[in-house]
Amino acid sequence: MSSNRILRACAAQISPVFMDRKASVQKYAETIVEAGNRGVDLIVTPETGIPVYPYWRNNFGYTDPASAAVWKDTVLAFYENAVRIPGPETEILGKAARSAGLTAVIGLNEQDDRPGSRTLYNTMLFLGPDGEILGRHRKLMPTHQERIFWGRGDAADLRVFDTPFGTLGGLICFENHMTLLKAAMAVKGEEVHAACWPGYWAYGGPGNTVRDMTGRLYPLHHSDQDAAVREYAFETQTFVVSASLYMSEDQVPDDFPYKKTTNWKWAMGGSAIATPFGTYAAEPVFGKETLVIADLDLGDRIVAKNVFDCMGHYTRWDAVQLRIGHGNVGPLVGEQPAPAASPFPFPGAVAGPSGAAADGPDGRPPKAVLAALPVGRGNPLLGELMERMGGPVSAYRAELGGEDFEELARSHGLSHEEVVSFIHDFIDLIRRRSEVVVPDFDLDEPADA
């Protein structure tokens, strides 16, 4: 966690330039710079604000060639105005983040970068204060009619990133309700959480059982977003920066074919910022474009964890454990493409020997691990460990006894203590960097180790 205890966070409740990628990116870049001028350290923008959320999702269906042609034109326009990562648009946004000196989380429609694919994804793009791409999160489970527009992300998209103010992660819309995803983010060490939404809604009607998306304001507790944002913050002891999209119908061009048959009213905003106590540092704001800003004392997270620490004294790993899927799966049988093959780096996910988790682009673990051994001794030992353990997915099941330690020390010209220390460091690396996390792993060491 940063030595600077105050994080100035911003939920940017801004409208897209409807179905215009270039203009929307420019508007977002200008907003990032404005936030930087106001001293913001972290900015989060709404779900798929570039170039727009597909509010016309209920219009799917066509009964004749004319209506089919309209749908086709809309599909093409939506795809053509989505963003490639990396690409010219990410360069513009990265330059804005660098100019502003802040970390940015941008909600956008993303064109798949896999050869032959023309799938779109609902994506959060993470940019560091140096303007470089930290990584992305693709929505793992599009909701209801959203599956018409977007594919599903996979385990490689469940990530956290190191930032100047702590470990940052993010989820999109109803993902913030998904219990195991929240647990996974906590296990990965998330400290600040970005949440993106397409608007705001509440529950009304008899027994408050009908989702009301008419833009009518209810008490906050009638909305599942209010529950999701505040409970996420309390449950995981994180700060939650929640950005919701605002867009009025008059911002939609008259020639958009579904303008009059689409409900635009739930694009009403609702951006907010919550503390690890489950309270609002900035309450939801509705009905306008604005920057919702709050100064957050990072020390509050420690105070909250003093009472309820979901990864410490309030855990029961002996009763319940979590297994997180490993990496992404490709089109070939048995293929799990290494993130290093991606056009931009995912820190902490490059494959090393036999699939070992690693930090560097050369596929090696951090220097802090290898430096514990004499020069040239670390990589051979790591390779043998991977053969014995079977990679990070199964390493936590490996059993190493006293004879194993002695054999490893003897064959690699190391002391018993050096081997024990290296293995502990390596297992800690697996915990922190792999997609399989088992907090209660213990090596079976001899009693005198």
Side-chain angles (χ1 to χ4, degrees), residues 28 45-50 52-53 55 107-109 122-123 139 146 150 172-174 195-199 201 243-245:
Y28 272 49
T45 71
E47 180 178 355
T48 62
I50 301 173
V52 72
Y53 179 89
Y55 296 101
L108 49 78
N109 288 278
N122 181 334
T123 296
K139 192 173 185 179
E146 290 180 354
W150 298 311
I172 301 169
C173 200
F174 272 20
C196 296
W197 308 81
W201 49 83
S244 292
L245 206 150

Side-chain angles (χ1 to χ4, degrees), residues 12 14-21 24 28 44-57 78 81-83 105-111 120-125 137-139 142 146 149-151 171-173 195-199 243-247 266:
I14 52 177
S15 306
V17 180
F18 186 84
M19 290 284 261
D20 189 327
R21 173 181 60 194
S24 294
Y28 272 49
V44 180
T45 71
E47 180 178 355
T48 62
I50 301 173
V52 72
Y53 179 89
Y55 296 101
W56 59 94
R57 62 190 198 179
F78 195 53
N81 281 283
V83 173
V105 184
I106 309 296
L108 49 78
N109 288 278
E110 181 203 357
Q111 297 177 3
L120 291 180
Y121 291 96
N122 181 334
T123 296
M124 302 170 86
L125 169 68
H137 167 74
R138 289 172 168 175
K139 192 173 185 179
E146 290 180 354
F149 301 91
W150 298 311
L171 296 174
I172 301 169
C173 200
C196 296
W197 308 81
S244 292
L245 206 150
Y246 170 78
M247 188 181 70
W266 53 292

Side-chain angles (χ1 to χ4, degrees), residues 251-325:
Q251 293 174 296
V252 181
D254 291 337
D255 61 357
F256 182 66
Y258 301 114
K259 179 171 181 177
K260 297 302 180 183
T261 56
T262 294
N263 172 25
W264 308 99
K265 293 182 179 179
W266 53 292
M268 59 189 292
S271 301
I273 300 174
T275 76
F277 305 103
T279 59
Y280 283 122
E283 292 195 354
V285 178
F286 301 96
K288 62 180 179 180
E289 288 191 86
T290 187
L291 300 184
V292 179
I293 296 175
D295 290 326
L296 307 174
D297 185 344
L298 298 176
D300 286 346
R301 189 165 185 268
I302 297 174
V303 176
K305 281 183 170 290
N306 183 254
V307 178
F308 176 54
D309 187 347
C310 71
M311 287 302 300
H313 64 80
Y314 224 91
T315 56
R316 287 294 304 273
W317 302 115
D318 60 316
V320 180
Q321 290 185 331
L322 176 69
R323 178 169 181 172
I324 305 172

